[in-house]
């Protein structure tokens, strides 16, 4: 099936289109549930009334000031992690090359923690949120550059070497973060620890604006590189024979993915396993040989919405950080992935 938009044509596979539609419906239902359910349940008609501006006072306060920005932040962070994970796994051709495993999220976290501890910024405070994304972006780009340079040998990088270097960088950054926390006072360390777990609690409209503006720039740029993204999933010789400037395309895609991971980490902390799991789930749902970029972003958004909903409702009224839920679900998935990779006799 082919859709024409003026001079631009897009080929749509029926299964991919059905998967996208199903994810859109699931995501919308999860979004409505996230705004409606909680310690103070709000009926759907009151949610719609608050969104349209004629809701009751309590419903309007809870929807507009608490749950709506939190749900929107979850969508934006999920899309960013899903697309970033897809790019890293596709470019390195390794399902383990996820930003949260190879040190990119840890680099963003170390940069943000430095901002919080050294600069005295309140991690989740809307009025002082501004410096955190810049610290996270600086940390993520620095770490990505170091990993790329250390993994680069003989004019190319291999997924296996990239992952090993990334795991070493991740360990070093975790140690750096702990050292920073040990030097901080108790209030700063407490705020930073909640943020490091990965949490959407207290996210407001400032977070939505920051993350939304960044994704408005980064996602279209990434989609514009869809052709090299698809061809880089083949071997280097095939990509070169089809006219892809291999090194420039790889660096451009990795820079964009690093920025996406940094934005997501700055907004919600280093939420575990969304970037790792979303691309592989998307590939299986869509039934494609490669990793579908858009479907990966949609899966990431749905996963984070459902995880945040579970974090709020499982032990109600006690609320868990969303990273606890994604970690609990993602750890068995990582072990399964490692076992399958080992049985296949490949590291990427």
């Amino acid at each position: 099936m082919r859709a024409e938009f003026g001079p631009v044509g897009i080929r749509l596979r029926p299964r991919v289109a059905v998967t996208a539609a199903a994810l859109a419906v699931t995501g919308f239902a999860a979004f409505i549930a996230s705004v409606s359910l909680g310690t103070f349940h709000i009926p759907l008609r009151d949610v719609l009334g608050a969104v349209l501006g004629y809701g009751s006072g309590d419903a309007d306060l809870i929807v507009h000031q608490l749950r709506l920005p939190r749900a929107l932040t979850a969508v934006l962070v999920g899309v960013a992690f899903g697309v970033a994970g897809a790019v890293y796994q596709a470019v390195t051709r390794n399902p383990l090359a996820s930003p949260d495993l190879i040190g990119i999220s840890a680099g963003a976290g170390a940069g943000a923690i430095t901002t919080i501890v050294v600069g005295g910024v309140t991690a989740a405070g809307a009025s002082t949120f501004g410096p955190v994304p810049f610290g996270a972006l600086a940390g993520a780009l620095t770490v990505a550059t170091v990993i790329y340079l250390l993994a680069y040998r003989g004019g190319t990088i291999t997924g296996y070497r990239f992952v090993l270097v990334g795991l070493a960088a991740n360990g070093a950054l975790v140690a750096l973060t702990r050292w920073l926390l040990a030097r901080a006072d108790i209030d700063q360390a407490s705020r930073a620890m909640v943020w490091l777990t990965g949490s959407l609690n207290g996210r407001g409209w400032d977070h939505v604006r920051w993350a939304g503006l960044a994704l408005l720039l980064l996602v279209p740029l990434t989609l514009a590189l869809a052709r090299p993204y698809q061809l880089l999933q083949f071997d280097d010789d095939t990509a070169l024979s089809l006219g892809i400037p291999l090194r420039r395309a790889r660096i451009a895609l990795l820079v964009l993915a690093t920025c996406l991971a940094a934005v997501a980490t700055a907004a919600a902390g280093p939420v575990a396993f969304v970037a790792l799991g979303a691309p592989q789930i998307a590939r299986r749902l869509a039934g494609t040989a490669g990793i579908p970029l858009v479907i990966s972003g949609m899966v990431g958004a749905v996963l984070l919405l459902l995880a945040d909903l579970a974090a709020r409702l499982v032990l109600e009224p006690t609320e868990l950080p969303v990273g606890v839920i994604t970690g609990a679900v993602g750890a068995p998935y990582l072990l399964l992935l490692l076992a399958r990779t080992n049985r296949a006799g490949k590291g990427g």
Side-chain angles (χ1 to χ4, degrees):
M1 183 168 58
R2 186 175 176 82
E4 300 288 345
F5 303 94
V8 180
I10 300 176
R11 183 182 179 188
L12 294 175
R13 296 181 180 178
R15 180 167 171 177
V16 175
V18 170
T19 301
L23 286 171
V25 172
T26 305
F28 181 74
F31 185 89
I32 294 298
S34 180
V35 178
S36 176
L37 302 179
T39 304
F40 186 80
H41 293 257
I42 303 175
L44 182 57
R45 63 177 182 279
D46 291 341
V47 171
L48 295 175
V51 171
L52 296 175
Y54 57 83
S56 63
D58 290 342
D60 187 67
L61 173 66
I62 293 173
V63 169
H64 275 287
Q65 300 302 320
L66 299 176
R67 294 183 185 170
L68 192 57
R70 177 174 181 153
L72 288 172
T73 303
V75 171
L76 295 170
V77 169
V79 169
F81 272 135
V83 174
V87 171
Y88 265 96
Q89 293 180 21
V91 170
T92 61
R93 304 173 197 127
N94 191 317
L96 294 174
S98 171
D100 52 341
L101 285 186
I102 62 171
I104 306 302
S105 294
I113 289 297
T114 302
T115 306
I116 293 169
V117 173
V118 177
V121 174
T122 303
S127 62
T128 54
F129 180 67
V132 174
F134 294 105
L137 181 61
L141 288 175
T142 302
V143 172
T145 302
V146 171
I147 294 173
Y148 185 87
L149 292 176
L150 291 177
Y152 189 81
R153 286 292 184 276
T156 188
I157 61 171
T158 64
Y160 184 65
R161 186 181 180 86
F162 196 85
V163 170
L164 285 181
V165 173
L167 288 174
N170 189 65
L173 289 164
V174 169
L176 173 63
T177 301
R178 288 177 179 172
W179 179 75
L180 287 170
L181 291 175
R183 291 175 56 85
D185 63 45
I186 187 65
D187 291 335
Q188 290 174 325
S190 298
R191 288 198 300 266
M193 283 302 297
V194 172
W195 184 84
L196 277 173
T197 308
S199 175
L200 291 166
N201 186 27
R203 270 41 182 180
W205 290 108
D206 274 8
H207 299 82
V208 175
R209 278 192 290 273
W210 268 102
L213 288 173
L215 262 64
L216 277 178
L217 173 66
L218 296 172
V219 171
L221 287 176
T222 306
L223 294 177
L225 296 174
R227 185 169 183 269
Y229 166 82
Q230 292 172 346
L231 295 180
L232 281 171
Q233 298 184 55
F234 300 105
D235 59 81
D236 286 2
D237 292 337
T238 302
L240 283 171
S241 67
L242 293 172
I244 296 298
L246 203 60
R247 187 178 176 186
R248 280 184 294 168
R250 183 176 283 145
I251 290 176
L253 282 164
L254 289 179
V255 168
L256 289 170
T258 301
C259 292
L260 284 166
V263 168
T265 305
V271 181
F273 295 113
V274 176
L276 175 71
Q280 297 303 316
I281 294 172
R283 186 171 67 83
R284 285 165 173 77
L285 289 176
T288 56
I291 299 173
L293 200 57
V294 175
I295 301 294
S296 297
M298 296 179 74
V299 170
V302 171
L303 284 179
L304 205 53
L305 277 170
L306 294 176
D308 186 49
L309 194 59
R312 289 168 43 204
L313 299 181
V314 167
L315 297 179
E316 192 180 14
T318 301
E319 184 174 309
L320 298 173
V322 68
V324 172
I325 301 297
T326 58
V329 176
Y333 169 74
L334 176 60
L335 293 175
L336 178 64
L337 193 61
L338 287 170
R340 286 184 173 178
T341 303
N342 188 46
R343 280 200 300 269
K346 60 181 182 180

